[in-house]
Amino acid sequence: MRDNEHWDLVIKPKSNWLDINFADLWRYRDLILLFVRRDFVAQYKQTILGPVWHIIQPLFTTFLYAVVFGEIANLKTDGSPRPLFYLSGIIMWNFFSGCLLNTANTFIANAGIFGKIYFPRLVIPISTVISNSIRFGIQFFLLIDFLLFYIFVRDIHISITYYVLYVPILIIIMGVMGLGFGIMISSLTTKYRDIALFLGFALQLLMYLTPVIYPASLWGKYQWVMDINPMTPIIESFRHAMLGSGHFDMTGIIYSGIFSIVVFLIGAILFTRTEKTFMDTV
Amino acid sequence: MSNTVIKVDNISKYYRLGVVNTGTLKDDLRLRMAKMRGKEADFYKIGEDRSTDSDFMWALNDVSFEVKQGEVLGIVGKNGAGKSTLLKILSRVTAPTSGNIKVKGRIASLLEVGTGFHPELTGRENIFLNGAILGMSKQEIKSKFDEIVDFSGVERYIDTPVKRYSSGMYVRLAFAVAAHLEPEILIVDEVLAVGDAEFQAKCLGKMKDVSGQGRTVLFVSHSMAAVKKLCTRAIVLKKGKITLDSDVISGIEDYLNTGVGVSDEGIIPDNASSYTTGDAKFKSIVVKNKKNESTNTLYYEQAFTVELELELFRDVEKAIIDFSIGNFENRFSYTSTFEISKNPIDLKKGTYTLSIDIDPKLLPGNYNFYLGVHEMSKVSITLDMVERIKIITVLPITENNNIRYPLDVSLGNIRIDGNWKINKQL
């Protein structure tokens, strides 16, 4: 007998490689926004400074780096004022590592909710990335304030070029890459918790392999390390667009873009495979 | 065009237990080798029940059923029968291993109230968050917001973080959100109905309302009373299979009969003990009426005798033997202990026959038995224990059919006679 009836929902074993139900995600858009709100509100409840922490944290790190890597280690900054150089690197890196770290525990941290109710699991990582984008937005304005201070008060010449128009693209690539790695790791950690323990260490290592606290030109004959790191062209180009230092690397950006899409697709495949049965292994 | 709203087709779910793989690498390899040679691995004990093997199990095995619009389906079964697994698959928390389920209309499951409540957020914020998690849109929640707050009775604290709520307020608010969900199909777990009696009644009442509006409800429970009250149909699950699919009353009767069965001669099967040290074993249980006939059915107000056969495999000092009658909701109705009637006695190794004459005035209903033998020498040890064995039915009429139990439903389990006096006031 043929079944010609219309069914709103068919529950079946995991099958497709990449099975993202966009209509479903759209239906839960309110939930995404509520999660974003929850993240913001809950994070700074019972703090005095509240969201000001979003600004304090990069400021403090910038100060720390300027002292340790600037004054003491005396690493060059390609001619940019140190605070600008470090701040621009830090907010980009924070955005990436925030997207990655906060999505990497999606399954473990939400096992309680996931075990009781269905909603598209991607809602959580997506809302995390939105939260991080908002935080990045706040920090970006901090960077602009710094820029204006240096241009108008300190009278330092900073050449801002039309490359600024590429900044949104750079940010999107960074976000997609963080999300891709994050959901990939979140899927793997449901089986092997070791990865979560290793993650903080790995990210720190990766930061030192990325031109966050030094310019890409520092590596000299080990330049290839910089070249294969997909984060390099993003941060370098971001600095070039905002501060005029370093160089703008179009090929590098394309490489990073493709890299981020591949990472995201692998992440999404793992994620959709995991979300259906992870409750059995968690 | 049929009005089937849920169609479950050959659903199976396979669980692999233990840590990620089987217990140890050694066993893993041996299992693999044995499979390659085409026989069972030799480390299973002979006669070991493979269906309860600790490494893997079929939580659901080829389950199929349909649910029609407006039906209230009770899913009944003992712990481990697969109820929760079925529920999880239906609510899309986990995917089946094989088979599929087709659903018409919006489905919402309530396995828990207050899922996603964040302690730092206020009541108001949590209503929106929890509502959205349950699948409501912001618009929907807004339009029902006042109703929800009203229903919960916490309007004074609606802008206070829920971490400062008492647990009662917390649950009331959580339930209020869930209660205002309006899906076409609602899946409810009985664990929802924990809490005080008033809250339980509220939950059940709300579910009745929902089904009254022509919506479909799936209710998973082992509270027979609730199933009887709410459902129009029941399926009984046993070891991952549907053993019965029919109207509620017979579903419940069937459930009752899944207690530990005994043969007609009253022989208790070898694996019936729920706990044993192996030093003692209850061998048989027979219920006899006054005419010395073995029976499973008693008339109202009929006294009876229970005969037990107990074998001790060693000498037991200060033995206590207890015997209880319970109803199907696992509540004890009556307990008698050998210690109370007489002092604990020392028993030599061997087989004993015990008989207990009882006139407990059981009200009409179904009952089963609990047996235990304990040693009270230095520390107290339970030697053998059998639970929920045999079923007896007490009929609502007396033996010579002259008195009928006056009510349709038994109020309680045991009749305690009171001395009534009646006087007309002057």
Side-chain angles (χ1 to χ4, degrees), chain B residues 41-80:
Chain B
D42 53 359
F43 54 87
Y44 292 113
K45 283 188 209 120
I46 294 164
E48 194 174 22
D49 186 359
R50 290 290 297 273
S51 64
T52 60
D53 191 283
S54 61
D55 286 342
F56 54 86
M57 64 170 225
W58 286 99
L60 285 178
N61 202 341
D62 216 12
V63 169
S64 302
F65 62 92
E66 287 185 15
V67 187
K68 299 219 183 309
Q69 160 122 41
E71 255 183 332
V72 182
L73 176 70
I75 298 169
V76 189
K78 292 205 274 188
N79 287 335

Side-chain angles (χ1 to χ4, degrees), chain A residues 38-105:
Chain A
R38 181 195 71 174
D39 285 349
F40 265 86
V41 176
Q43 195 176 4
Y44 294 113
K45 280 257 165 125
Q46 280 198 15
T47 62
I48 296 168
L49 296 174
V52 178
W53 279 108
H54 285 315
I55 292 172
I56 296 175
Q57 192 262 338
L59 274 182
F60 191 75
T61 319
T62 302
F63 173 74
L64 204 72
Y65 285 1
V67 171
V68 175
F69 300 111
E71 293 297 327
I72 299 172
N74 210 9
L75 292 175
K76 60 184 177 118
T77 58
D78 267 358
S80 302
R82 275 181 189 143
L84 281 181
F85 183 86
Y86 292 124
L87 186 62
S88 57
I90 287 164
I91 65 170
M92 273 308 251
W93 180 263
N94 276 357
F95 177 54
F96 169 74
S97 72
C99 287
L100 197 160
L101 277 177
N102 299 339
T103 49
N105 61 2

Side-chain angles (χ1 to χ4, degrees), chain A residues 225-252:
Chain A
V225 177
M226 288 286 100
D227 289 342
I228 56 164
N229 183 349
M231 239 76 74
T232 307
I234 305 289
I235 290 185
E236 278 290 293
S237 303
F238 179 72
R239 275 207 185 109
H240 183 74
M242 301 299 296
L243 315 177
S245 72
H247 69 295
F248 195 87
D249 178 6
M250 200 59 210
T251 337

Side-chain angles (χ1 to χ4, degrees), chain A residues 186-203:
Chain A
S186 71
S187 314
L188 297 174
T189 43
T190 58
K191 261 196 166 174
Y192 310 104
R193 301 279 171 105
D194 317 50
I195 297 167
L197 300 170
F198 177 67
L199 188 62
F201 173 69
L203 261 180

Side-chain angles (χ1 to χ4, degrees), chain A:
Chain A
M1 194 186 84
R2 295 260 311 161
D3 188 3
N4 292 322
E5 284 181 71
H6 168 75
W7 299 96
D8 295 318
L9 169 72
V10 178
I11 301 169
K12 51 182 194 288
K14 54 180 173 183
S15 49
N16 303 350
W17 268 56
L18 190 57
D19 187 11
I20 302 179
N21 190 341
F22 289 103
D24 221 17
L25 270 175
W26 179 244
R27 202 174 317 133
Y28 278 88
R29 61 191 181 279
D30 286 340
L31 183 60
I32 296 180
L33 296 179
L34 281 162
F35 272 130
V36 171
R37 204 183 128 75
R38 181 195 71 174
D39 285 349
F40 265 86
V41 176
Q43 195 176 4
Y44 294 113
K45 280 257 165 125
Q46 280 198 15
T47 62
I48 296 168
L49 296 174
V52 178
W53 279 108
H54 285 315
I55 292 172
I56 296 175
Q57 192 262 338
L59 274 182
F60 191 75
T61 319
T62 302
F63 173 74
L64 204 72
Y65 285 1
V67 171
V68 175
F69 300 111
E71 293 297 327
I72 299 172
N74 210 9
L75 292 175
K76 60 184 177 118
T77 58
D78 267 358
S80 302
R82 275 181 189 143
L84 281 181
F85 183 86
Y86 292 124
L87 186 62
S88 57
I90 287 164
I91 65 170
M92 273 308 251
W93 180 263
N94 276 357
F95 177 54
F96 169 74
S97 72
C99 287
L100 197 160
L101 277 177
N102 299 339
T103 49
N105 61 2
T106 300
F107 285 114
I108 309 280
N110 295 290
I113 303 182
F114 286 0
K116 294 297 178 192
I117 203 132
Y118 170 83
F119 53 85
R121 302 316 191 204
L122 268 177
V123 160
I124 299 264
I126 288 173
S127 68
T128 306
V129 169
I130 294 175
S131 305
N132 275 288
S133 306
I134 296 171
R135 195 182 66 170
F136 176 79
I138 296 170
Q139 297 177 350
F140 187 74
F141 273 102
L142 178 71
L143 179 67
I144 288 178
D145 287 344
F146 262 64
L147 262 173
L148 294 176
F149 173 78
Y150 274 92
I151 292 170
F152 293 110
V153 181
R154 288 292 185 83
D155 227 2
I156 287 173
H157 176 70
I158 288 168
S159 57
I160 295 174
T161 60
Y162 72 93
Y163 285 127
V164 164
L165 299 175
Y166 283 101
V167 165
I169 296 173
L170 299 176
I171 293 165
I172 289 169
I173 295 176
M174 209 62 160
V176 169
M177 192 138 49
L179 174 66
F181 273 121
I183 57 179
M184 191 191 290
I185 291 162
S186 71
S187 314
L188 297 174
T189 43
T190 58
K191 261 196 166 174
Y192 310 104
R193 301 279 171 105
D194 317 50
I195 297 167
L197 300 170
F198 177 67
L199 188 62
F201 173 69
L203 261 180
Q204 211 171 7
L205 189 72
L206 191 62
M207 190 187 93
Y208 289 113
L209 289 176
T210 306
V212 175
I213 49 166
Y214 51 81
S217 53
L218 186 83
W219 281 69
K221 66 170 176 169
Y222 296 108
Q223 189 61 40
W224 59 271
V225 177
M226 288 286 100
D227 289 342
I228 56 164
N229 183 349
M231 239 76 74
T232 307
I234 305 289
I235 290 185
E236 278 290 293
S237 303
F238 179 72
R239 275 207 185 109
H240 183 74
M242 301 299 296
L243 315 177
S245 72
H247 69 295
F248 195 87
D249 178 6
M250 200 59 210
T251 337
I253 292 175
I254 293 169
Y255 164 67
S256 302
I258 294 170
F259 192 95
S260 68
I261 290 168
V262 171
V263 165
F264 177 76
L265 284 178
I266 296 173
I269 289 168
L270 284 174
F271 193 88
T272 47
R273 287 176 69 86
T274 307
E275 67 177 354
K276 286 202 160 179
T277 50
F278 96 101
M279 274 321 298
D280 308 338
T281 49
V282 99

